Amino acid sequence: MDHIYQHFRNEEKQFIDQVLEWKDIVLNQYSPKLTDFLDPREQEIVASVIGENLDIKVMFSGGVQDTERKRAFIYPDYYQPHEEDFQLTLFEIHYASKFVSLQHRQVLGSLMSLGLKRSKFGDIRFYEEVVQFVCASEIADYLRANFYEIGRAKVTLKEMSVEKLIPHVEDVQEIVTTVSSLRLDVVCSAIYTISRQKIQPLITNGLVKVNWKTVDSVSFECREGDTLSVRGFGRSKLVSMEGKTKKDRFRVIIHKQK
């Protein structure tokens, strides 16, 4: 068991235990298991843990191929999975777009104010005045009956085929730089060109996430592949570490969303 944990951070142990429990359910009951929506890091963990077993397999889907948040479908090797197994529903939000401008945080906040967990929702996407979101089909009827406003704006939902989810377009800037250490405050300071004195309070106040989880320790050590986000400054990814310079600094390549 310990050989699994050694590949992950200590704070990920609880989720790994959950994945191991899902695996045991599928092995013991010999029937599939559908999870809630997982962020990309959680998907990596599930794929890694399940991948060690030849008797069961895993697939992911969030509606279309480029979705960020996806449900995992863990199944015995005899089972042939279908897209319907993921139980996904796509809603388009209709609102008075001439008078109201919606933002991601407003949509998500209003959805969760209904007493629903974030894990019941997939991607929320915008294109000009069109707003769509994916949810678990088991809450679709509840949303139809109870989701009718975002802030003070009245809204209605129209169910769409999941294949019609708005395409995701990511525009990133590649940054090649060096850092004195891989501490979270040092890395964020280099990415967002903010002094460590200014970035540290953002971290300790819970405004910084690593791999979609809040991290409030300035000395948290970043790793290659980590996705970082600072509220108000955007998201970035530590794509690779290219060794050290003669001055013993880490050379890193960053992809920062524009």
Side-chain angles (χ1 to χ4, degrees):
M1 185 70 71
D2 289 342
H3 75 283
I4 294 178
Y5 297 131
Q6 69 183 5
H7 300 294
F8 305 97
R9 291 190 170 105
N10 290 332
E11 61 269 18
E12 295 174 328
K13 181 178 182 298
Q14 184 176 359
F15 182 70
I16 294 169
D17 289 339
Q18 177 69 77
V19 178
L20 291 171
E21 183 179 325
W22 293 337
K23 184 172 78 168
D24 288 342
I25 290 173
V26 176
L27 285 172
N28 295 332
Q29 299 181 3
Y30 216 50
S31 61
K33 165 68 180 177
L34 177 64
T35 74
D36 283 342
F37 287 93
L38 308 175
D39 64 43
R41 177 56 180 168
E42 291 170 333
Q43 295 167 39
E44 288 180 12
I45 294 174
V46 171
S48 178
V49 174
I50 300 300
E52 297 180 356
N53 196 300
L54 298 178
D55 296 324
I56 60 176
K57 299 179 180 180
V58 63
M59 286 182 63
F60 301 93
S61 180
V64 294
Q65 189 172 1
D66 69 349
T67 47
E68 180 176 275
R69 298 177 60 82
K70 300 178 181 180
R71 302 185 87 169
F73 188 72
I74 307 168
Y75 58 98
D77 57 358
Y78 77 88
Y79 190 88
Q80 183 62 43
H82 300 89
E83 192 63 32
E84 294 77 15
D85 290 319
F86 290 94
Q87 300 177 32
L88 303 171
T89 297
L90 172 64
F91 282 121
E92 187 167 280
I93 300 175
H94 288 193
Y95 62 103
S97 56
K98 290 184 178 180
F99 309 102
V100 178
S101 177
L102 298 181
Q103 297 181 334
H104 185 284
R105 60 180 178 82
Q106 294 173 312
V107 176
L108 180 59
S110 296
L111 289 169
M112 295 183 66
S113 70
L114 298 176
L116 299 167
K117 295 180 180 179
R118 178 66 178 98
S119 59
K120 291 297 181 183
F121 300 98
D123 285 12
I124 301 173
R125 294 192 173 179
F126 295 75
Y127 179 73
E128 295 180 348
E129 297 175 351
V130 179
V131 182
Q132 297 176 343
F133 69 89
V134 183
C135 71
S137 294
E138 60 263 28
I139 66 167
D141 286 342
Y142 181 79
L143 290 174
R144 290 188 190 97
N146 295 279
F147 189 60
Y148 46 82
E149 62 182 5
I150 299 176
R152 295 182 178 180
K154 299 298 181 182
V155 302
T156 57
L157 297 179
K158 179 182 179 181
E159 184 172 347
M160 311 279 287
S161 170
V162 291
E163 291 82 11
K164 294 185 177 180
L165 180 62
I166 300 168
H168 174 64
V169 179
E170 186 173 58
D171 190 9
V172 298
Q173 171 191 5
E174 182 170 280
I175 301 172
V176 181
T177 187
T178 63
V179 290
S180 59
S181 80
L182 296 176
R183 282 171 48 119
L184 183 58
D185 60 342
V186 174
V187 174
C188 286
S189 176
I191 295 172
Y192 299 103
T193 59
I194 311 170
S195 69
R196 290 174 63 185
Q197 288 72 24
K198 290 184 178 180
I199 200 70
Q200 287 175 348
L202 298 179
I203 297 172
T204 56
N205 288 325
L207 302 182
V208 176
K209 292 184 178 181
V210 179
N211 297 327
W212 296 270
K213 301 293 185 294
T214 300
V215 174
D216 58 9
S217 171
V218 297
S219 60
F220 179 91
E221 187 167 317
C222 298
R223 296 181 182 179
E224 184 175 273
D226 282 349
T227 295
L228 315 176
S229 62
V230 180
R231 189 180 301 175
F233 293 89
R235 183 186 297 177
S236 59
K237 183 173 185 177
L238 181 53
V239 176
S240 65
M241 293 187 291
E242 306 293 309
K244 288 190 173 182
T245 67
K246 292 181 180 180
K247 295 184 178 180
D248 205 35
R249 292 173 64 87
F250 293 93
R251 182 180 290 107
V252 295
I253 297 177
I254 307 291
H255 282 180
K256 178 183 176 184
Q257 286 188 353
K258 293 183 179 179

